[in-house]
Amino acid sequence: MEAYDVIIVGTGAGGGTLARHLAPSGKRILLLERGDWLPREPANWLAQDVFVDNRYVSEDTWYDPKGKPFQPQIHYFVGGATKLYGAALYRLRAEDFGELDHHDGVSPAWPISYDEIEPYYTQAEEMYEVHGARGEDPTEAPASAPYPLPAVSHEPRIQQLSDDLEAAGYHPFHAPCGVRLNEANRPYSACVRCGNCDGFPCAVHGKSDADVLGVRPALEHANVELLTNAKAIRLETNTDGTTVTEVVVERNGEVEHFAADLVVLACGAANTAKLLLVSSSDHHPNGLANGSDQVGRNYMFHNSQAVLALSHDENPTVFQKTLGLNDFYFKGNGHGYPLGNIQMVGKSQAPMYRGEKPVQTRLAPQWTLERVAKHAIDFWLSTEDLPRPENRVTVDGDGKLTLSYTATNDKPKDELHKQLRGMLKHLHMEPDHLFHRFAYMKNEIPVAGVAHQAGTCRMGTDPADSVLNADCRAHEVDNLYVVDTSVFPSIGAVNPALTAMANSLRVGDRLLERLDAHAPVAAAV
């Protein structure tokens, strides 16, 4: 059986980042990825293939509480969910790390403060080549450094929207973007600033994902090894149940066993919880590290909606995801509770409507959808959902994953939509830019849309109501860590990727301290 210093299960925002951070240490590191490399092919940039045919949605079946199967919109590739994410790399607000009152309850405090994670936010922004501009967003917390790269410029239609918002008294800002774009020297830019970024894989590696900027740099070190198509199916422990001794893996139809001094899970909130739950034993009858009965609970994935505004004037924008607005992030503006974040999403294309709304668009002529797309201005609205113990992942004896989820904070979500709707008609857009009836297509994000999943193995100071300590080490298992979004006690109202990356770097430093305090592991046993 092969033995390593560290085994990392999963290669997304948490695992890929951690691998790159640990790689220069010289420690022997094994990366396990249940998927394969995402193919680089013309279909990467075809909306029909990506949004209608679901070419890159991985085969998996989960179940709702009634036992009805569904296919989660999940991606098992090297780089995980970041291969198709929108690369919106926001920091949580400083207040998000404390207790916050919401319409439907309280968002709990983290066991760490913004000040503790701030240096790692800066490191993560450097690692993932984030573009942005400090000082434009009044809700942003202090930062120890400027963004490593200048903000991605607005195209004319979005610049007009930004100017109109500012003139109306709002505070639009350049959204933090993880794209490998060099606007000053386009011939040497990896990113070509195309319209096929948000929700697409990038065929030219122009997106700052955990494959391109995490795993690949890590593999340049001889001490790092990657196994693809390697699904972790169980964790075995010593006789006392206090240490993970083996990671059991299915690969190429065979079962293999690997050992390491330290084991780190980064499988995503649902699958990390599943792996712990199926790893039950005499010492952990309810699942590994689950003496608190918190593994799988407190599932969150944001209360989000995609909104499309129709304008009389065409919107020729290609790369639209450059503007954000946090004026309603906290309470105020006539509301005694937070509403959330507004940002642009990738420019919509006609095939996307058939993929996202197949019933409603089935009889629509293609020319009609094309016209809608030409006049569309696309927004993403995100409201924080709250951790509820009944929102959870469970697994039966056959390994069947059930996801139970009821949304929270519906009223703030609706209010945020009303705020946007009211804003647009006062931004010099009424007669010339919007249909007079303010026609919208509104797309609710179903439970199968799991891109922002979080919370199933939350960190905390009390082992009775958390799974992990503040260093993201399991309270009950000495060498077991978690670095994906399942560790989040709350999710805030902005995209979680950068926080997962920053926290992974923070935990990585704790791992390096621990590894340096011990003798190297044997090459093999």
Side-chain angles (χ1 to χ4, degrees):
M1 179 171 61
E2 287 290 311
Y4 296 83
D5 292 294
V6 184
I7 292 175
I8 303 171
V9 185
T11 61
T17 302
L18 180 63
R20 178 173 171 180
H21 191 56
L22 299 182
S25 69
K27 302 297 182 180
R28 195 164 184 227
I29 299 164
L30 175 65
L31 278 169
L32 297 173
E33 171 53 55
R34 69 182 289 173
D36 209 333
W37 298 94
L38 192 149
R40 298 176 69 188
E41 56 189 2
N44 288 171
W45 283 348
L46 297 178
Q48 174 71 33
D49 291 67
V50 175
F51 286 90
V52 181
D53 299 337
N54 287 324
R55 183 178 181 87
Y56 302 108
V57 174
S58 299
E59 291 187 7
D60 209 346
T61 302
W62 297 356
Y63 296 82
D64 70 13
K66 297 181 179 179
K68 182 180 179 180
F70 67 91
Q71 184 179 21
Q73 299 291 299
I74 203 160
H75 308 104
Y76 299 139
F77 296 106
V78 177
T82 69
K83 289 305 295 180
L84 287 92
Y85 77 159
L89 295 178
Y90 285 77
R91 298 184 179 204
L92 286 175
R93 313 295 93 178
E95 295 88 338
D96 286 322
F97 290 90
E99 196 173 87
L100 277 177
D101 291 328
H102 287 265
H103 181 272
D104 282 4
V106 176
S107 176
W110 290 48
I112 61 172
S113 67
Y114 173 81
D115 289 343
E116 291 176 76
I117 200 171
E118 194 285 325
Y120 297 103
Y121 270 133
T122 297
Q123 288 184 32
E125 287 165 348
E126 289 281 352
M127 180 182 290
Y128 284 93
E129 302 178 9
V130 182
H131 298 253
R134 305 274 189 230
E136 295 181 337
D137 175 8
T139 70
E140 72 180 3
S144 54
Y147 278 105
L149 294 166
V152 177
S153 64
H154 297 317
E155 292 178 43
R157 184 65 188 85
I158 306 306
Q159 183 63 58
Q160 179 188 352
L161 176 61
S162 179
D163 293 343
D164 288 344
L165 285 166
E166 189 170 354
Y170 298 103
H171 302 86
F173 58 89
H174 288 83
C177 295
V179 288
R180 307 181 68 205
L181 174 66
N182 186 341
E183 293 192 272
N185 192 358
R186 294 295 288 271
Y188 284 84
S189 175
C191 171
V192 297
R193 193 169 177 141
C194 70
N196 300 324
C197 182
D198 192 1
F200 294 83
C202 184
V204 295
H205 289 172
K207 187 185 294 188
S208 299
D209 63 43
D211 162 16
V212 175
L213 295 180
V215 175
R216 290 174 193 255
L219 292 176
E220 294 175 5
H221 298 260
N223 54 298
V224 180
E225 181 181 352
L226 168 68
L227 295 181
T228 58
N229 300 302
K231 180 183 178 182
I233 58 173
R234 183 174 173 82
L235 304 177
E236 299 286 359
T237 66
N238 60 0
T239 55
D240 295 330
T242 57
T243 303
V244 176
T245 55
E246 295 180 17
V247 180
V248 184
V249 173
E250 280 184 352
R251 186 165 72 107
N252 300 324
E254 303 289 335
V255 175
E256 302 179 37
H257 300 257
F258 301 93
D261 285 352
L262 303 176
V263 175
V264 186
L265 304 186
C267 314
N271 282 310
T272 286
K274 177 181 179 180
L275 183 56
L276 293 175
L277 291 171
V278 300
S279 299
S280 59
S281 66
D282 290 342
H283 284 282
H284 300 275
N286 297 320
L288 187 59
N290 195 28
S292 62
D293 191 32
Q294 293 299 304
V295 171
R297 294 189 182 273
N298 307 300
Y299 179 90
M300 301 169 283
F301 84 129
H302 273 146
N303 212 347
S304 299
Q305 49 190 324
V307 177
L308 182 155
L310 297 178
S311 164
H312 276 306
D313 285 356
E314 290 189 2
N315 176 17
T317 303
V318 176
F319 190 87
Q320 185 172 253
K321 199 178 176 75
T322 59
L323 183 145
L325 190 74
N326 278 335
D327 288 61
F328 309 102
Y329 198 92
F330 298 118
K331 66 181 181 181
N333 293 299
H335 295 277
Y337 43 83
L339 300 187
N341 165 264
I342 298 173
Q343 59 181 279
M344 312 304 295
V345 291
K347 184 71 179 71
S348 56
Q349 302 175 37
M352 295 179 183
Y353 306 147
R354 294 199 189 276
E356 295 172 357
K357 294 283 189 181
V359 175
Q360 295 89 331
T361 61
R362 182 175 54 200
L363 301 179
Q366 184 66 21
W367 66 266
T368 303
L369 299 181
E370 292 285 357
R371 186 179 180 193
V372 169
K374 287 181 179 179
H375 290 259
I377 303 173
D378 309 87
F379 298 89
W380 178 272
L381 283 65
S382 185
T383 295
E384 180 168 2
D385 62 340
L386 302 176
R388 293 281 190 262
E390 62 272 20
N391 285 346
R392 65 185 302 195
V393 170
T394 54
V395 182
D396 68 10
D398 296 323
K400 183 175 75 173
L401 187 157
T402 295
L403 178 58
S404 303
Y405 179 82
T406 300
T408 62
N409 266 345
D410 278 336
K411 183 174 176 60
K413 182 184 75 169
D414 293 342
E415 290 293 337
L416 188 60
H417 181 264
K418 290 178 183 176
Q419 287 285 352
L420 175 62
R421 189 182 185 102
M423 256 193 291
L424 293 177
K425 63 185 179 182
H426 293 295
L427 297 176
H428 306 97
M429 299 173 69
E430 299 91 342
D432 299 320
H433 297 87
L434 283 177
F435 291 120
H436 294 297
R437 296 183 64 183
F438 306 105
Y440 286 78
M441 293 176 66
K442 179 181 173 184
N443 186 23
E444 304 278 349
I445 308 303
V447 72
V450 297
H452 290 189
Q453 58 178 293
T456 55
C457 299
R458 63 182 177 183
M459 60 168 118
T461 56
D462 186 351
D465 61 14
S466 59
V467 178
L468 313 167
N469 68 12
D471 291 338
C472 295
R473 179 180 61 80
H475 289 299
E476 302 170 13
V477 186
D478 179 65
N479 68 335
L480 177 64
Y481 292 78
V482 181
V483 295
D484 56 32
T485 53
S486 65
V487 310
F488 286 22
S490 66
I491 196 172
V494 291
N495 311 56
L498 187 72
T499 301
M501 295 162 177
N503 186 59
S504 183
L505 294 172
R506 184 184 69 89
V507 175
D509 276 354
R510 305 291 87 76
L511 299 180
L512 289 171
E513 292 168 3
R514 183 167 175 174
L515 288 166
D516 288 342
H518 293 80
V521 71
V525 294

